[in-house]
Amino acid sequence: MADIAKLVEELSQLTVLEAAELAKALEEAWGVSAAAAVAVAAAPGGAADAPAAEEQTEFDVILTGDGGKKIQVIKEVRAITGLGLTEAKALVEGAPKAVKEGVSKAEAEDIKKKIEEAGGTVELK
């Protein structure tokens, strides 16, 4: 087997361009991709051991449009947020904008339903 320490020392002397060329040459010679090897090595046991994504608990309700029913949507936004007429109108006209942020899933779904019934379009993030 080759002297590992000597090989490491020689590889440390490579420029970035030379290292990229070496990686490409090895990929072609061995028929593998360095990116795929890194991805498998990064996850212990492969993708099967990857932790399940945490379920989102807080949502932002984003008004994306008034659906041509600006007055009804303004009324609903006022009822939901407690904003004055001018502030609610500015929020609706400035869409996409957050109506409420950091709310529970149930509250976000309820707000979305109310605004959509008034004619607006909503996105949950």
Side-chain angles (χ1 to χ4, degrees), residues 18 42 59 122:
E18 291 170 334
F59 293 84
V122 177

Side-chain angles (χ1 to χ4, degrees), residues 74-90:
I74 290 171
K75 287 179 183 178
E76 199 57 52
V77 167
R78 286 187 69 201
I80 292 167
T81 62
L83 292 173
L85 179 59
T86 306
E87 293 86 1
K89 181 176 182 263

